[in-house]
Amino acid sequence: MTYFAVTYTYNPDSEQISSLRPIHREFTARLMAEGKIIGSGPFSDGGGGALIVIALEEGAQLADAEALMNEDPFHREGALEDRSIRLWNPVISTFGA
């Protein structure tokens, strides 16, 4: 598998984020069912934002991860302040890497 760490930055008080959260969670649940999400959730320090770790087929490129995450309603509707997608090497993990 090829892993990517996706970080989202958004205002935790954003009405747009709140209104899109149900369909965002449907999106992430679908990816989980497809085996493409290792973990997903908001940061709990009150500053907003979230981390999503995705697993794609061996040899996947950054463009593949971007294309997948472009489908997220948070991104599609312009609700994020920032998004970062980086190739990640889980040297120590429980993911079977």
Side-chain angles (χ1 to χ4, degrees), residues 4 7 12-15 18 21 23 31 40 42 50-51 57 59 68 70-71 80 83 86-87 89-90 93:
F4 298 87
T7 54
D13 299 321
S14 167
E15 289 182 26
S18 293
R21 187 169 284 120
I23 58 173
L31 294 185
S40 174
L51 172 66
E57 65 280 347
L68 178 67
N70 284 349
E71 298 174 26
L80 301 173
R83 178 183 81 171
R86 299 177 65 188
L87 184 61
N89 181 18
S93 74

mmCIF file of all heavy atoms in Angstrom, residues 4 7 12-15 18 21 23 31 40 42 50-51 57 59 68 70-71 80 83 86-87 89-90 93:
data_model
loop_
_atom_site.group_PDB
_atom_site.id
_atom_site.type_symbol
_atom_site.label_atom_id
_atom_site.label_comp_id
_atom_site.label_asym_id
_atom_site.label_seq_id
_atom_site.Cartn_x
_atom_site.Cartn_y
_atom_site.Cartn_z
ATOM 1 N N PHE A 4 -0.928 8.167 2.453
ATOM 2 C CA PHE A 4 -0.902 9.618 2.363
ATOM 3 C C PHE A 4 -1.538 10.198 3.617
ATOM 4 O O PHE A 4 -2.570 9.701 4.079
ATOM 5 C CB PHE A 4 -1.680 10.112 1.136
ATOM 6 C CG PHE A 4 -1.101 9.637 -0.162
ATOM 7 C CD1 PHE A 4 -1.479 8.415 -0.699
ATOM 8 C CD2 PHE A 4 -0.155 10.395 -0.833
ATOM 9 C CE1 PHE A 4 -0.939 7.959 -1.889
ATOM 10 C CE2 PHE A 4 0.392 9.947 -2.031
ATOM 11 C CZ PHE A 4 0.002 8.726 -2.558
ATOM 12 N N THR A 7 -4.151 16.650 5.724
ATOM 13 C CA THR A 7 -4.542 17.532 6.815
ATOM 14 C C THR A 7 -5.435 18.636 6.275
ATOM 15 O O THR A 7 -5.201 19.165 5.188
ATOM 16 C CB THR A 7 -3.320 18.150 7.534
ATOM 17 O OG1 THR A 7 -2.485 18.801 6.580
ATOM 18 C CG2 THR A 7 -2.526 17.098 8.277
ATOM 19 N N PRO A 12 -13.269 25.856 13.479
ATOM 20 C CA PRO A 12 -14.165 24.909 14.128
ATOM 21 C C PRO A 12 -15.585 25.451 14.299
ATOM 22 O O PRO A 12 -16.519 24.672 14.500
ATOM 23 C CB PRO A 12 -13.502 24.649 15.484
ATOM 24 C CG PRO A 12 -12.656 25.857 15.737
ATOM 25 C CD PRO A 12 -12.196 26.314 14.377
ATOM 26 N N ASP A 13 -15.744 26.760 14.189
ATOM 27 C CA ASP A 13 -17.061 27.378 14.332
ATOM 28 C C ASP A 13 -17.734 27.664 12.996
ATOM 29 O O ASP A 13 -18.787 28.302 12.952
ATOM 30 C CB ASP A 13 -16.943 28.683 15.130
ATOM 31 C CG ASP A 13 -16.395 28.451 16.526
ATOM 32 O OD1 ASP A 13 -16.767 27.424 17.155
ATOM 33 O OD2 ASP A 13 -15.569 29.263 16.977
ATOM 34 N N SER A 14 -17.142 27.182 11.909
ATOM 35 C CA SER A 14 -17.667 27.449 10.574
ATOM 36 C C SER A 14 -19.042 26.812 10.379
ATOM 37 O O SER A 14 -19.212 25.602 10.548
ATOM 38 C CB SER A 14 -16.704 26.902 9.522
ATOM 39 O OG SER A 14 -17.310 26.866 8.251
ATOM 40 N N GLU A 15 -20.017 27.631 10.013
ATOM 41 C CA GLU A 15 -21.356 27.115 9.720
ATOM 42 C C GLU A 15 -21.326 26.230 8.476
ATOM 43 O O GLU A 15 -22.060 25.243 8.394
ATOM 44 C CB GLU A 15 -22.342 28.267 9.539
ATOM 45 C CG GLU A 15 -22.651 28.986 10.835
ATOM 46 C CD GLU A 15 -23.664 30.106 10.662
ATOM 47 O OE1 GLU A 15 -24.487 30.042 9.724
ATOM 48 O OE2 GLU A 15 -23.605 31.047 11.465
ATOM 49 N N SER A 18 -20.091 22.835 9.504
ATOM 50 C CA SER A 18 -21.166 22.149 10.239
ATOM 51 C C SER A 18 -22.241 21.621 9.305
ATOM 52 O O SER A 18 -22.716 20.491 9.468
ATOM 53 C CB SER A 18 -21.808 23.093 11.267
ATOM 54 O OG SER A 18 -20.879 23.402 12.272
ATOM 55 N N ARG A 21 -20.814 18.643 7.258
ATOM 56 C CA ARG A 21 -20.258 17.510 8.002
ATOM 57 C C ARG A 21 -20.990 16.190 7.741
ATOM 58 O O ARG A 21 -20.333 15.159 7.538
ATOM 59 C CB ARG A 21 -20.215 17.817 9.495
ATOM 60 C CG ARG A 21 -19.497 16.730 10.291
ATOM 61 C CD ARG A 21 -19.211 17.161 11.715
ATOM 62 N NE ARG A 21 -18.078 18.079 11.723
ATOM 63 C CZ ARG A 21 -18.136 19.337 12.179
ATOM 64 N NH1 ARG A 21 -19.260 19.822 12.669
ATOM 65 N NH2 ARG A 21 -17.063 20.104 12.141
ATOM 66 N N ILE A 23 -22.502 15.020 5.023
ATOM 67 C CA ILE A 23 -22.140 14.414 3.737
ATOM 68 C C ILE A 23 -20.636 14.159 3.650
ATOM 69 O O ILE A 23 -20.206 13.237 2.968
ATOM 70 C CB ILE A 23 -22.682 15.198 2.513
ATOM 71 C CG1 ILE A 23 -22.190 16.638 2.494
ATOM 72 C CG2 ILE A 23 -24.185 15.130 2.461
ATOM 73 C CD1 ILE A 23 -22.571 17.394 1.226
ATOM 74 N N LEU A 31 -15.188 5.682 1.833
ATOM 75 C CA LEU A 31 -13.773 5.368 1.650
ATOM 76 C C LEU A 31 -13.310 4.303 2.637
ATOM 77 O O LEU A 31 -12.505 3.437 2.292
ATOM 78 C CB LEU A 31 -12.911 6.619 1.788
ATOM 79 C CG LEU A 31 -13.078 7.695 0.721
ATOM 80 C CD1 LEU A 31 -12.066 8.817 0.949
ATOM 81 C CD2 LEU A 31 -12.955 7.135 -0.674
ATOM 82 N N SER A 40 -9.527 8.721 10.380
ATOM 83 C CA SER A 40 -10.013 10.056 10.041
ATOM 84 C C SER A 40 -10.657 10.668 11.267
ATOM 85 O O SER A 40 -11.366 9.980 12.003
ATOM 86 C CB SER A 40 -11.046 9.958 8.904
ATOM 87 O OG SER A 40 -11.623 11.215 8.645
ATOM 88 N N PRO A 42 -11.331 14.817 13.485
ATOM 89 C CA PRO A 42 -10.921 16.194 13.761
ATOM 90 C C PRO A 42 -9.866 16.243 14.862
ATOM 91 O O PRO A 42 -9.784 15.357 15.716
ATOM 92 C CB PRO A 42 -12.227 16.852 14.231
ATOM 93 C CG PRO A 42 -12.988 15.733 14.849
ATOM 94 C CD PRO A 42 -12.655 14.517 14.035
ATOM 95 N N ALA A 50 -8.480 18.716 10.715
ATOM 96 C CA ALA A 50 -8.610 17.270 10.824
ATOM 97 C C ALA A 50 -7.443 16.586 10.138
ATOM 98 O O ALA A 50 -6.730 17.192 9.338
ATOM 99 C CB ALA A 50 -9.920 16.813 10.182
ATOM 100 N N LEU A 51 -7.282 15.312 10.465
ATOM 101 C CA LEU A 51 -6.293 14.458 9.827
ATOM 102 C C LEU A 51 -7.015 13.257 9.233
ATOM 103 O O LEU A 51 -7.888 12.667 9.883
ATOM 104 C CB LEU A 51 -5.268 13.961 10.849
ATOM 105 C CG LEU A 51 -4.281 12.887 10.357
ATOM 106 C CD1 LEU A 51 -3.351 13.448 9.286
ATOM 107 C CD2 LEU A 51 -3.491 12.328 11.533
ATOM 108 N N GLU A 57 -3.425 1.895 -3.637
ATOM 109 C CA GLU A 57 -2.662 0.770 -4.156
ATOM 110 C C GLU A 57 -1.177 1.126 -4.247
ATOM 111 O O GLU A 57 -0.808 2.293 -4.377
ATOM 112 C CB GLU A 57 -3.200 0.336 -5.532
ATOM 113 C CG GLU A 57 -3.041 1.371 -6.629
ATOM 114 C CD GLU A 57 -4.090 2.473 -6.627
ATOM 115 O OE1 GLU A 57 -5.115 2.358 -5.935
ATOM 116 O OE2 GLU A 57 -3.854 3.487 -7.322
ATOM 117 N N GLY A 59 2.292 2.041 -5.350
ATOM 118 C CA GLY A 59 2.711 2.830 -6.500
ATOM 119 C C GLY A 59 1.831 4.029 -6.789
ATOM 120 O O GLY A 59 2.104 4.777 -7.727
ATOM 121 N N LEU A 68 -8.721 11.685 -5.407
ATOM 122 C CA LEU A 68 -9.663 11.069 -4.471
ATOM 123 C C LEU A 68 -10.203 12.095 -3.482
ATOM 124 O O LEU A 68 -11.413 12.215 -3.289
ATOM 125 C CB LEU A 68 -8.968 9.933 -3.711
ATOM 126 C CG LEU A 68 -9.817 9.221 -2.660
ATOM 127 C CD1 LEU A 68 -10.949 8.443 -3.322
ATOM 128 C CD2 LEU A 68 -8.941 8.308 -1.813
ATOM 129 N N ASN A 70 -10.305 15.281 -3.726
ATOM 130 C CA ASN A 70 -11.058 16.363 -4.363
ATOM 131 C C ASN A 70 -12.560 16.082 -4.340
ATOM 132 O O ASN A 70 -13.362 16.993 -4.497
ATOM 133 C CB ASN A 70 -10.597 16.575 -5.804
ATOM 134 C CG ASN A 70 -9.278 17.303 -5.888
ATOM 135 O OD1 ASN A 70 -8.776 17.845 -4.904
ATOM 136 N ND2 ASN A 70 -8.695 17.296 -7.074
ATOM 137 N N GLU A 71 -12.924 14.813 -4.132
ATOM 138 C CA GLU A 71 -14.341 14.434 -4.068
ATOM 139 C C GLU A 71 -14.977 14.769 -2.717
ATOM 140 O O GLU A 71 -16.202 14.734 -2.597
ATOM 141 C CB GLU A 71 -14.484 12.930 -4.323
ATOM 142 C CG GLU A 71 -14.010 12.483 -5.682
ATOM 143 C CD GLU A 71 -14.037 10.966 -5.829
ATOM 144 O OE1 GLU A 71 -14.837 10.307 -5.123
ATOM 145 O OE2 GLU A 71 -13.254 10.455 -6.636
ATOM 146 N N LEU A 80 -12.778 24.520 3.192
ATOM 147 C CA LEU A 80 -11.500 24.415 3.886
ATOM 148 C C LEU A 80 -10.678 25.687 3.727
ATOM 149 O O LEU A 80 -10.673 26.306 2.664
ATOM 150 C CB LEU A 80 -10.694 23.241 3.319
ATOM 151 C CG LEU A 80 -11.349 21.869 3.420
ATOM 152 C CD1 LEU A 80 -10.515 20.834 2.665
ATOM 153 C CD2 LEU A 80 -11.543 21.472 4.870
ATOM 154 N N ARG A 83 -5.563 22.726 2.747
ATOM 155 C CA ARG A 83 -5.494 21.273 2.695
ATOM 156 C C ARG A 83 -4.087 20.905 2.282
ATOM 157 O O ARG A 83 -3.520 21.493 1.364
ATOM 158 C CB ARG A 83 -6.493 20.729 1.667
ATOM 159 C CG ARG A 83 -6.443 19.203 1.532
ATOM 160 C CD ARG A 83 -7.373 18.711 0.468
ATOM 161 N NE ARG A 83 -6.769 18.860 -0.863
ATOM 162 C CZ ARG A 83 -7.297 18.356 -1.970
ATOM 163 N NH1 ARG A 83 -8.444 17.694 -1.933
ATOM 164 N NH2 ARG A 83 -6.705 18.536 -3.127
ATOM 165 N N ARG A 86 0.289 14.698 1.763
ATOM 166 C CA ARG A 86 1.704 14.320 1.690
ATOM 167 C C ARG A 86 1.841 12.810 1.702
ATOM 168 O O ARG A 86 1.126 12.119 2.429
ATOM 169 C CB ARG A 86 2.459 14.913 2.872
ATOM 170 C CG ARG A 86 2.405 16.438 2.881
ATOM 171 C CD ARG A 86 3.069 17.030 4.077
ATOM 172 N NE ARG A 86 4.500 16.736 4.061
ATOM 173 C CZ ARG A 86 5.301 17.007 5.081
ATOM 174 N NH1 ARG A 86 4.827 17.563 6.171
ATOM 175 N NH2 ARG A 86 6.593 16.714 5.002
ATOM 176 N N LEU A 87 2.768 12.321 0.906
ATOM 177 C CA LEU A 87 3.128 10.911 0.925
ATOM 178 C C LEU A 87 3.677 10.608 2.312
ATOM 179 O O LEU A 87 4.465 11.381 2.863
ATOM 180 C CB LEU A 87 4.181 10.646 -0.147
ATOM 181 C CG LEU A 87 4.619 9.214 -0.360
ATOM 182 C CD1 LEU A 87 3.448 8.335 -0.799
ATOM 183 C CD2 LEU A 87 5.717 9.174 -1.414
ATOM 184 N N ASN A 89 5.254 7.573 5.040
ATOM 185 C CA ASN A 89 5.887 6.269 5.207
ATOM 186 C C ASN A 89 5.720 5.809 6.648
ATOM 187 O O ASN A 89 6.501 6.221 7.520
ATOM 188 C CB ASN A 89 7.369 6.356 4.836
ATOM 189 C CG ASN A 89 8.062 5.018 4.981
ATOM 190 O OD1 ASN A 89 7.435 3.975 5.039
ATOM 191 N ND2 ASN A 89 9.382 5.059 5.051
ATOM 192 N N PRO A 90 4.732 4.976 6.938
ATOM 193 C CA PRO A 90 4.518 4.518 8.316
ATOM 194 C C PRO A 90 5.537 3.454 8.721
ATOM 195 O O PRO A 90 5.268 2.258 8.639
ATOM 196 C CB PRO A 90 3.097 3.976 8.285
ATOM 197 C CG PRO A 90 2.900 3.523 6.883
ATOM 198 C CD PRO A 90 3.718 4.455 6.033
ATOM 199 N N SER A 93 3.904 1.037 12.657
ATOM 200 C CA SER A 93 2.459 1.170 12.558
ATOM 201 C C SER A 93 1.758 -0.121 12.929
ATOM 202 O O SER A 93 2.387 -1.162 13.086
ATOM 203 C CB SER A 93 2.051 1.570 11.131
ATOM 204 O OG SER A 93 2.187 0.455 10.267
#
